[in-house]
């Protein structure tokens, strides 16, 4: 075990896939193979493995060429048995760490599993299976005839004729035609798996050639870098030495240096085209300095020019995604496998994938990391699609919201299981979504952006914890030397809620899942963390402030037993929309909006706040929520949480004219898109920026401005003021009609 951990080679990983105890102490053999699984089947893709398999095959080919038997050897030659086995083993080494069902020894069964998992097509599986059976049968016939372990076709015509007849063919020509057909099929599929770009030197741009030429004058290179947009050419030049020669403190293998020589010009080309080359280069340098097994990464990137382009775009456009990659470079696996290209996943699919990963975790700590890893990988998928415009407007927010719901549900399950160990009794059920024990039902209500399916990058989760009823549980087993202590529902669910918050917010080596905000619960921070449904109803019936009723328009149950969730949603609907609205609703909402603008936004001629500032997102939301509170008592189709969906519904109900609705919807989408970009770019929850900030031009360029010849920042500000001006005029029209008139 120690040998493989420290010195194991790639060919040994491939060989161990077939390992099976056959004699002696079989339990000892099983234990050894179980211990070696992390070596054979790695959780993250070893990017050098594919290159090593290719090199092994190239060495075999070279050996066969020298012996002039490349075409005669059924096992090692072109389109032979070894190519089929290499194909299968490469798929296993890449995928079986995450998918244990692929840890299969038998080649034909493995091909069937690959087809079921979508890793090979049915046609390719059939071609490889038929070729494998054919080649193995012919191999057996050869060995029977020659009475020795050999894999080569007979050289004389008579021997070949005998082999053809034994294999079921009338003549040697028919046999060799069938053999060639199978070989071509195998060879074609094998080459597709290991397809690489033409390795001949590609035409390089003159500026890239000049930058990487060791004979180029450093000052002239720095001048060129400054011309290309680098604000600190001296620092950029020093960083580029890393690309040109590698990190002097870390030795590269010969293969790694060869790959870096090919990769560096590709990276430089993309850096020069980046809208923010300084940030892109800084993040690239941090990424390259942080990765281990650099030769493997370099090899991977050389073979995937599209990934190089995507990586530099990411480094230049999103500090948030760059941080994820610098901290967890193995997530590059996600990009290479193209799982990021899946634009949308259904909620149930996300839930099933997360449950599958959690089920593989051996203990509580590993489950915590698995939850965080899943969230990061899905976050990456969503953000990459968003970054490259492959996702329709609003789909990203929905995907982020569903991801949060799934993580909340899994956190609830984990918390229940942990408390069951301590308390047992009525709360031992693993499934928090079950309706079997209504008296102990527990649910989580999403508020704000989570409730409206409008979650954004860096959004906290605004949630409320609600349980079914007051009272005590059944007697519990002995715990902490206390026999049969009665634990109230409130005490238990308070512990459950605290455990859920801990699961989501605790920082491990994989980071945290989400930050949680529970201030919208009854009585805010002064109130209890969890609330019974009856207490929740009483509070909102008798004590809630007008702004709390307005906040309830976004409330949506996101986790809990279906029947209990339905009951809560019905009560929320009645409390929010089923009661008469106050006579001063319009003026009160307008007053609150003015106060938010003055006390929170605090805009001036330089500072812009896209959320709470003049004409910001809150303007759109307040108009929508006012009209919803005013009319949803009679029009139940208006009892929905999503702002855009609600505006479209209001047009159908003739509560808004088409022009006003379009201005609000387009303006809201524009501001949400801007918010997305700011949060991706700066890696923090940000809704404001200064028009005089030195990085403002880069923000405008990353948003696509500057193509018309006008300075990017001026073009952006002009459009921003037009959009927010129209929104503000509509706020005055609907919430302050006397002034508007």
């Amino acid at each position: 075990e120690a040998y493989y951990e420290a010195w194991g080679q790639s060919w040994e990983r491939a060989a161990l896939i077939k390992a099976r105890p056959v004699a002696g102490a079989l339990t000892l053999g099983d234990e050894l193979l179980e211990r070696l699984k992390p070596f054979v089947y790695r959780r993250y893709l070893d990017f050098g493995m594919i290159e090593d398999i290719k090199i092994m095959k190239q060495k075999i080919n070279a050996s066969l060429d020298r012996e002039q038997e490349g075409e005669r050897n059924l096992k090692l030659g072109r389109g032979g048995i070894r190519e089929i086995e290499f194909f299968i083993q490469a798929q296993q080494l890449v995928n079986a760490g995450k998918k244990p069902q692929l840890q299969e020894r038998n080649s034909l069964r493995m091909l069937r599993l690959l087809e079921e998992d979508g890793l090979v097509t049915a046609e390719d599986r059939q071609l490889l299976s038929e070729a494998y059976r054919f080649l193995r049968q012919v191999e057996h016939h050869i060995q029977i005839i020659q009475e020795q372990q050999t894999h080569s076709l007979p050289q004389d015509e008579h021997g070949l004729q005998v082999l053809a007849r034994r294999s079921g063919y009338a003549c040697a020509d028919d046999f060799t035609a069938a053999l060639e057909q199978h070989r071509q099929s195998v060879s074609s599929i094998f080459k597709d798996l290991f397809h690489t770009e033409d390795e001949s030197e590609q035409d390089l741009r003159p500026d890239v050639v000049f930058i990487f030429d060791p004979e180029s004058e450093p000052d002239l290179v720095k001048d060129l870098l400054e011309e290309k947009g680098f604000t600190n050419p001296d620092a950029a030049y020093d960083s580029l030495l890393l690309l040109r020669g590698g990190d002097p403190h870390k030795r590269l293998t010969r293969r790694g240096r060869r790959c870096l020589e090919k990769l560096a010009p590709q990276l430089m080309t993309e850096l020069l085209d980046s809208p923010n080359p300084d940030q892109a280069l800084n993040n690239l340098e941090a990424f390259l300095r942080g990765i281990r097994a650099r030769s493997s990464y370099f090899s991977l990137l050389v073979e995937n020019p599209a990934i190089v382009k995507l990586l530099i775009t990411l480094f230049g456009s999103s500090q948030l995604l760059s941080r994820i990659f610098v901290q967890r470079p193995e997530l590059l696996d996600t990009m290479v496998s193209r799982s990021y290209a899946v634009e949308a996943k259904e909620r149930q699919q996300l839930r099933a994938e997360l449950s599958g990963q959690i089920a593989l975790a051996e203990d509580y700590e590993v489950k915590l990391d698995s939850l965080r890893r899943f969230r990061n990988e899905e976050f990456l998928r969503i953000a990459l699609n968003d970054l490259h415009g492959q996702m329709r407007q609003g789909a990203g927010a929905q995907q982020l919201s569903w991801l949060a719901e799934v993580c909340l549900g899994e956190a609830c399950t984990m918390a229940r299981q942990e408390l069951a160990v301590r308390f047992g009794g009525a709360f031992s059920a693993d499934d928090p979504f079950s309706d079997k024990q209504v008296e102990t039902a527990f649910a989580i209500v999403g508020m704000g952006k989570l409730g409206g399916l409008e979650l954004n990058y860096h959004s906290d989760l605004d949630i409320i914890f609600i349980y079914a009823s007051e009272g005590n549980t059944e007697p519990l087993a002995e715990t902490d030397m206390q026999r049969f202590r009665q634990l109230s529902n409130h005490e238990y669910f308070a512990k459950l809620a605290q455990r859920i918050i801990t699961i989501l917010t605790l920082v491990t080596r994989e980071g945290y899942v989400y930050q949680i905000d529970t201030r919208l619960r009854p009585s805010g921070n002064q109130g209890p963390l969890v609330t019974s449904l009856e207490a929740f109803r009483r509070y909102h019936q008798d004590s809630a402030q007008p702004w709390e009723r307005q906040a309830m328009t976004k409330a949506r149950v996101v986790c809990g037993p279906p029947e209990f969730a339905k009951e809560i949603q019905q009560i929320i609907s009645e409390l929010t929309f089923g009661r008469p609205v106050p006579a001063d609703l319009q003026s009160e909402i307008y007053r609150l909006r003015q106060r938010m603008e003055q006390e929170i936004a605090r805009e001036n001629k330089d500072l812009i706040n896209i959320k709470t500032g003049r004409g910001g997102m809150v303007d759109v939301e307040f108009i929508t929520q006012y009209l919803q509170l005013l009319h949803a008592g009679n029009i139940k189709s208006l009892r929905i949480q999503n702002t855009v969906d609600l505006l479209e519904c209001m047009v159908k109900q003739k509560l808004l004219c088409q022009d006003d609705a379009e201005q609000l919807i387009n303006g809201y989408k524009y501001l949400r898109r801007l918010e997305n970009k700011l949060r991706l770019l700066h890696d923090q929850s940000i809704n404001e920026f200064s028009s005089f900030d030195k990085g403002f031009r880069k923000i405008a360029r990353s948003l696509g401005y500057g193509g018309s010849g006008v300075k990017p920042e001026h073009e952006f500000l002009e459009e921003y003021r037009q959009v927010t001006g129209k929104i503000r005029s509509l706020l005055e029209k609907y919430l302050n009609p006397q002034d508007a008139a």
Side-chain angles (χ1 to χ4, degrees):
E1 183 181 7
Y3 164 78
Y4 284 117
E5 199 171 89
W7 303 101
Q9 302 296 307
S10 294
W11 69 266
E12 291 172 303
R13 288 178 61 196
L16 283 168
I17 288 176
K18 295 280 193 181
R20 176 173 62 89
V22 294
L26 300 184
T27 54
L28 176 62
D30 287 332
E31 182 183 354
L32 172 65
L33 294 182
E34 188 64 30
R35 290 189 182 194
L36 293 180
K37 272 188 178 180
F39 165 70
V40 179
Y41 302 110
R42 295 179 181 172
R43 174 69 177 83
Y44 284 104
L45 173 59
D46 177 2
F47 300 121
M49 188 63 217
I50 303 297
E51 179 73 13
D52 288 343
I53 291 177
K54 287 168 58 181
I55 290 173
M56 281 190 274
K57 185 64 176 70
Q58 288 165 2
K59 288 180 178 178
I60 291 172
N61 292 345
S63 174
L64 293 174
D65 287 343
R66 284 195 299 271
E67 297 174 11
Q68 296 183 345
E69 63 166 30
E71 288 298 307
R72 294 194 302 112
N73 195 304
L74 293 177
K75 183 174 183 179
L76 305 179
R78 174 184 62 86
I81 294 168
R82 185 52 51 87
E83 286 193 0
I84 300 174
E85 291 177 336
F86 275 8
F87 177 90
I88 295 170
Q89 290 164 1
Q91 296 277 17
Q92 288 180 280
L93 292 169
V94 169
N95 297 292
K98 288 184 177 179
K99 301 176 178 180
Q101 69 271 23
L102 299 181
Q103 296 174 14
E104 166 64 51
R105 299 182 182 96
N106 182 275
S107 297
L108 291 174
R109 285 200 294 268
M110 189 59 219
L111 283 170
R112 177 70 66 181
L113 291 172
L114 290 172
E115 179 193 351
E116 291 174 358
D117 212 61
L119 294 172
V120 299
T121 64
E123 181 184 4
D124 284 354
R125 193 272 310 163
Q126 184 174 354
L127 288 172
L128 290 174
S129 297
E130 290 175 354
Y132 189 77
R133 289 190 180 95
F134 176 88
L135 292 168
R136 280 297 192 195
Q137 284 182 336
V138 174
E139 177 190 46
H140 295 162
H141 294 148
I142 292 172
Q143 293 176 357
I144 289 171
I145 295 171
Q146 301 190 22
E147 296 185 354
Q148 60 178 321
Q149 185 184 15
T150 180
H151 314 284
S152 296
L153 294 169
Q155 291 181 287
D156 61 290
E157 290 185 11
H158 175 71
L160 191 60
Q161 180 70 25
V162 171
L163 177 61
R165 295 294 295 273
R166 281 184 176 271
S167 301
Y169 293 88
C171 64
D173 289 343
D174 291 345
F175 168 74
T176 54
L179 173 61
E180 180 59 24
Q181 184 177 357
H182 285 302
R183 277 182 154 177
Q184 286 183 1
S185 297
V186 172
S187 181
S188 175
I189 295 170
F190 183 76
K191 286 179 179 177
D192 281 346
L193 178 66
F194 296 107
H195 173 73
T196 59
E197 296 291 324
D198 183 6
E199 294 187 355
S200 60
E201 187 173 352
Q202 299 177 354
D203 292 334
L204 297 178
R205 287 168 35 173
D207 47 5
V208 173
V209 173
F210 180 74
I211 289 171
F212 279 101
D213 186 351
E215 301 298 321
S216 296
E217 180 66 35
D219 287 340
L220 294 178
V221 173
K222 293 175 185 178
D223 289 342
L224 177 59
L225 292 173
E226 187 172 17
E227 180 185 326
K228 294 295 182 180
F230 289 92
T231 56
N232 189 343
D234 290 323
Y237 181 80
D238 292 338
S239 297
L240 288 174
L241 295 178
L242 176 67
L243 285 182
R244 196 159 68 184
D247 190 340
H249 303 294
K250 295 181 181 179
R251 293 186 61 186
L252 276 173
T253 64
R254 184 172 58 183
R255 187 186 78 188
R257 183 163 296 280
R258 188 172 66 248
C259 289
L260 180 59
E261 289 171 357
K262 296 178 183 177
L263 177 63
Q266 296 180 34
L267 292 170
M268 192 67 238
T269 299
E270 300 302 331
L271 284 170
L272 294 179
D273 291 337
S274 171
N276 193 347
D278 287 305
Q279 178 178 302
L281 180 58
N282 290 338
N283 285 321
L284 174 63
E285 182 178 6
F287 175 75
L288 294 178
R289 289 191 185 280
I291 58 176
R292 299 175 181 178
R294 292 182 301 154
S295 298
S296 300
Y297 282 91
F298 293 162
S299 174
L300 171 85
L301 292 172
V302 164
E303 295 177 11
N304 292 273
I307 298 299
V308 174
K309 184 177 183 66
L310 180 61
L311 200 61
I312 299 302
T313 302
L314 180 153
F315 286 153
S317 303
S318 173
Q319 199 61 30
L320 182 149
L321 297 182
S322 299
R323 173 179 55 81
I324 293 176
F325 266 100
V326 170
Q327 291 174 347
R328 307 294 301 177
E330 63 270 26
L331 285 176
L332 197 58
D333 179 11
T334 307
M335 296 171 69
V336 175
S337 66
R338 293 194 62 79
S339 60
Y340 73 90
V342 179
E343 178 183 323
K345 294 183 180 180
E346 294 298 324
R347 202 168 354 199
Q348 194 57 41
Q349 181 184 355
L350 289 167
R351 185 172 290 136
E353 290 179 359
L354 175 56
S355 297
Q357 292 192 24
I358 295 293
L360 297 175
E362 299 171 355
D363 53 42
Y364 179 70
E365 284 71 23
V366 178
K367 286 182 179 180
L368 290 178
D369 280 342
S370 295
L371 180 61
R372 283 149 179 76
R373 192 178 303 118
F374 176 81
R375 185 264 185 186
N376 283 340
E377 290 180 356
E378 288 302 310
F379 196 84
L380 175 66
R381 173 185 64 82
I382 297 165
L384 284 173
N385 279 298
D386 197 357
L387 192 65
H388 289 275
Q390 297 170 343
M391 189 172 283
R392 60 182 174 80
Q393 180 77 30
Q398 184 183 67
Q399 289 283 290
L400 288 169
S401 301
W402 284 353
L403 175 61
E405 289 180 39
V406 167
C407 291
L408 277 170
E410 191 60 49
C412 190
T413 299
M414 291 169 59
R416 284 243 188 189
Q417 291 171 343
E418 284 298 301
L419 292 188
V421 174
R422 294 180 55 194
F423 298 110
F427 303 108
S428 61
D430 287 342
D431 184 6
F433 304 105
S434 172
D435 277 313
K436 293 178 181 177
Q437 296 169 313
V438 177
E439 72 279 3
T440 61
F442 174 81
I444 301 175
V445 177
M447 305 289 287
K449 290 179 178 177
L450 176 60
L453 289 170
E454 298 166 333
L455 215 60
N456 210 327
Y457 306 104
H458 277 298
S459 290
D460 295 344
L461 302 187
D462 293 309
I463 56 176
I464 299 173
F465 299 107
I466 299 179
Y467 61 94
S469 62
E470 301 287 359
N472 292 346
T473 70
E474 62 187 60
L476 304 177
E478 182 175 341
T479 304
D480 299 331
M481 303 303 291
Q482 299 178 16
R483 291 183 58 82
F484 302 112
R485 172 176 174 262
Q486 290 289 104
L487 190 70
S488 72
N489 281 355
H490 186 87
E491 288 177 297
Y492 171 77
F493 286 119
K495 293 179 183 296
L496 179 63
Q498 289 165 352
R499 182 59 61 94
I500 290 170
I501 292 173
T502 299
I503 288 171
L504 294 169
T505 60
L506 182 69
V507 178
T508 74
R509 63 179 182 174
E510 300 282 351
Y512 64 91
V513 190
Y514 292 100
Q515 295 298 328
I516 302 299
D517 190 340
T518 61
R519 289 176 295 178
L520 290 176
R521 67 185 187 267
S523 302
N525 284 338
Q526 305 304 315
L529 181 60
V530 297
T531 311
S532 71
L533 182 56
E534 184 54 37
F536 178 83
R537 185 208 298 268
R538 286 198 305 269
Y539 175 82
H540 281 280
Q541 187 76 47
D542 304 331
S543 308
Q545 299 296 312
W547 68 266
E548 290 177 287
R549 181 172 177 180
Q550 185 181 347
M552 290 278 283
T553 61
K554 292 280 191 181
R556 180 174 60 87
V557 182
V558 296
C559 174
E563 287 301 318
F564 187 47
K566 184 177 179 181
E567 182 182 1
I568 295 174
Q569 201 67 56
Q570 181 62 35
I571 289 174
I572 288 172
S573 181
E574 290 303 316
L575 288 170
T576 309
F577 307 115
R579 297 180 294 160
V581 298
D584 62 346
L585 175 67
Q586 185 183 53
S587 60
E588 180 61 22
I589 291 180
Y590 186 72
R591 183 192 66 80
L592 180 61
R593 177 67 190 100
Q594 286 183 308
R595 184 177 171 187
M596 289 179 69
E597 186 174 345
Q598 294 165 4
E599 298 179 11
I600 299 176
R602 296 181 179 179
E603 288 185 313
N604 54 45
K605 64 178 182 178
D606 299 336
L607 187 67
I608 294 171
N609 190 304
I610 63 175
K611 181 178 180 180
T612 55
R614 183 180 186 277
M617 287 183 285
V618 173
D619 273 18
V620 180
E621 291 169 349
F622 272 43
I623 294 170
T624 309
Q625 290 161 8
Y626 164 68
L627 293 173
Q628 185 182 26
L629 288 169
L630 199 61
H631 299 288
N634 297 321
I635 307 173
K636 292 193 176 181
S637 62
L638 295 177
R639 299 184 183 187
I640 53 180
Q641 296 86 12
N642 183 271
T643 302
V644 172
D645 291 346
L646 190 53
L647 285 167
E648 291 174 346
C649 187
M650 286 177 179
V651 174
K652 294 178 183 177
Q653 296 295 333
K654 302 190 184 311
L655 301 176
L656 273 174
C657 69
Q658 188 71 42
D659 287 346
D660 287 357
E662 285 183 2
Q663 287 189 18
L664 290 172
I665 290 172
N666 293 337
Y668 191 70
K669 288 181 176 181
Y670 172 84
L671 294 170
R672 289 300 303 270
R673 192 162 56 246
L674 177 56
E675 182 185 46
N676 282 0
K677 181 63 70 173
L678 287 172
R679 294 186 177 197
L680 282 171
L681 190 63
H682 293 289
D683 189 20
Q684 57 181 302
S685 180
I686 185 171
N687 295 103
E688 62 181 32
F689 55 88
S690 170
S691 59
F692 281 87
D693 184 82
K694 63 181 181 180
F696 181 57
R697 173 173 290 189
K698 293 177 181 177
I699 295 174
R701 286 185 64 193
S702 68
L703 288 166
Y705 293 97
S708 61
V710 181
K711 287 185 178 180
E713 61 270 35
H714 294 165
E715 187 180 356
F716 165 62
L717 281 175
E718 178 64 26
E719 183 172 5
Y720 178 84
R721 286 170 180 148
Q722 286 182 7
V723 170
T724 54
K726 291 176 182 177
I727 292 174
R728 175 44 61 96
S729 66
L730 290 172
L731 180 86
E732 297 294 333
K733 174 181 176 180
Y734 286 98
L735 291 182
N736 191 28
Q738 292 180 345
D739 236 34

